[in-house]
């Protein structure tokens, strides 16, 4: 059983959802859950509270989303586009996905409803949900970037937990201005997947078809990390 495009999400759960799920998580239980997530090799969590407007737009009735973030292997990203690279990326994705099911089971065991959102179902954009967390931005190269880095993949769990530490403001919005001063991905894209105004052209990008990740490899956020680029941006603004 694997995650496949446009197929129902596979069922790797070992525990049923509780009949009367709890809605409030105590601090110590959330901390315990976060520790388990980190011990499972994820690098962090973000949380999205979906607004009524958002739910209406995407025709969903989910409220609370936990985002489980993992680092995509540097070795794989650095490979040239190829069938083998695509396969390795998919294998990594499938392996992490199994762990995400186990984490949903942990929440079920704690008494909460928890269901993995199908990561390969186009009916709702996971990136749009990620943006609702106020903890991510879309870069000029069309990557969904969290502070943990540019090479971050993620799985999402929808849950009955109402009191997750949702962020109200996004402190990463400066990135779009930084991107407007950089443009390395636009200049160096081998497929010219940007129009004359530097706007990303999805149809020309071969990231999904052939595994291109050149713009990640070249991006200052990947090379230096979020915090260092932010410091540099602060200095640039004061010059
Ligand atoms: S390479 Fe430059 S313009 Fe492109 S996403 Fe990275 S920072 Fe932004
Ligand atoms: S993934 Fe490759 S093709 Fe797509 S925008 Fe980046 S460099 Fe261009």
């Amino acid at each position: 059983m694997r995650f496949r495009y446009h197929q129902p999400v596979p069922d790797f759960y070992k525990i049923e959802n509780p009949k009367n799920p709890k809605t409030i998580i105590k601090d110590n239980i959330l901390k315990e859950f976060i520790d388990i997530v980190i011990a499972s090799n994820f690098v962090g969590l973000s949380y999205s509270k979906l607004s009524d407007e958002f739910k209406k737009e995407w025709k969903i009735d989910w409220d609370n989303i936990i985002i489980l973030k993992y680092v995509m292997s540097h070795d794989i990203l650095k490979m040239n586009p190829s069938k083998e690279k695509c396969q390795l990326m998919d294998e990594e994705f499938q392996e992490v996905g199994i762990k995400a099911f186990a984490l949903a089971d942990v929440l079920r065991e704690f008494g909460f409803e928890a269901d993995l959102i199908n990561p390969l179902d186009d009916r709702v954009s996971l990136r749009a949900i990620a943006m609702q967390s106020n903890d991510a931005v879309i870069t000029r190269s069309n990557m969904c970037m969290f502070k943990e880095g540019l090479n971050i993949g993620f799985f999402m769990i929808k849950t009955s937990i109402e009191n997750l530490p949702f962020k109200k403001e996004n402190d990463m919005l400066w990135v779009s201005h930084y991107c407007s001063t950089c443009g390395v991905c636009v200049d160096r894209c081998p497929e010219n997947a940007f129009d004359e105004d530097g706007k990303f052209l999805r149809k020309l990008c071969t990231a999904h078809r052939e595994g291109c990740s050149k713009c990640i490899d070249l991006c200052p956020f990947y090379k230096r990390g979020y915090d260092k680029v932010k410091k540099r941006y602060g200095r640039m603004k004061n010059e």
Side-chain angles (χ1 to χ4, degrees):
M1 256 196 307
R2 304 171 70 80
F3 295 96
R4 289 182 196 281
Y5 275 101
H6 312 300
Q7 298 291 319
V9 68
D11 184 353
F12 291 112
Y13 301 110
K14 295 200 169 64
I15 295 172
E16 298 265 309
N17 262 320
K19 291 220 162 52
N20 296 304
K22 294 193 252 178
T23 57
I24 300 298
I25 193 164
K26 289 186 181 149
D27 289 351
N28 61 325
I29 302 293
L30 180 60
K31 186 177 176 312
E32 193 178 334
F33 178 65
I34 294 170
D35 288 346
I36 296 169
V37 171
I38 301 299
S40 309
N41 279 338
F42 288 86
V43 280
L45 301 89
S46 295
Y47 311 93
S48 291
K49 180 88 183 171
L50 303 185
S51 66
D52 290 342
E53 212 176 41
F54 186 90
K55 292 190 277 184
K56 204 168 154 198
E57 185 188 343
W58 291 97
K59 300 186 181 61
I60 51 177
D61 61 358
W62 314 332
D63 291 306
N64 314 302
I65 311 291
I66 295 175
I67 306 172
L68 307 166
K69 299 176 276 190
Y70 70 95
V71 176
M72 297 188 281
S73 154
H74 295 279
D75 291 345
I76 301 175
L77 279 178
K78 290 206 173 283
M79 288 171 69
N80 288 326
S82 66
K83 219 173 157 189
E84 189 199 354
K85 181 178 181 183
C86 290
Q87 260 171 8
L88 289 171
M89 286 169 95
D90 184 56
E91 273 164 29
E92 181 177 64
F93 173 77
Q94 303 284 344
E95 274 169 28
V96 180
I98 303 277
K99 288 186 194 165
F101 273 102
L103 293 168
D105 273 339
V106 170
L107 288 174
R108 289 177 175 196
E109 210 167 4
F110 284 150
F112 303 102
E113 193 174 84
D115 292 285
L116 204 71
I117 299 176
N118 190 346
L120 299 180
D121 180 353
D122 286 346
R123 275 174 301 177
V124 57
S125 158
L126 263 57
R127 290 158 60 103
I129 294 177
M131 291 305 291
Q132 291 277 296
S133 70
N134 284 319
D135 211 14
V137 282
I138 305 294
T139 63
R140 196 164 177 186
S141 56
N142 199 40
M143 290 294 296
C144 183
M145 182 173 75
F146 293 88
K147 286 180 187 162
E148 288 88 350
L150 193 62
N151 55 326
I152 295 294
F154 47 81
F155 284 84
M156 295 186 179
I157 293 174
K158 55 187 163 86
T159 176
S160 56
I161 308 171
E162 295 280 351
N163 65 327
L164 292 165
F166 302 109
K167 275 179 76 180
K168 294 218 163 57
E169 279 183 33
N170 191 331
D171 57 352
M172 297 176 72
L173 299 179
W174 63 274
V175 169
S176 71
H177 184 245
Y178 181 82
C179 278
S180 72
T181 68
C182 169
V184 168
C185 51
V186 181
D187 295 342
R188 306 272 301 273
C189 171
E191 307 296 332
N192 290 322
F194 296 85
D195 69 13
E196 60 273 19
D197 298 323
K199 201 165 156 264
F200 177 71
L201 301 170
R202 183 187 301 274
K203 276 190 186 154
L204 297 184
C205 173
T206 56
H208 289 288
R209 285 196 304 280
E210 295 168 22
C212 179
S213 50
K214 187 159 186 182
C215 55
I216 296 181
D217 204 23
L218 294 168
C219 179
F221 286 108
Y222 180 65
K223 293 211 282 204
R224 301 195 184 92
Y226 178 86
D227 290 334
K228 281 196 180 148
V229 179
K230 190 171 181 206
K231 263 191 203 151
R232 188 175 161 190
Y233 177 70
R235 283 199 301 269
M236 261 165 61
K237 275 196 4 179
N238 293 331
E239 274 165 11

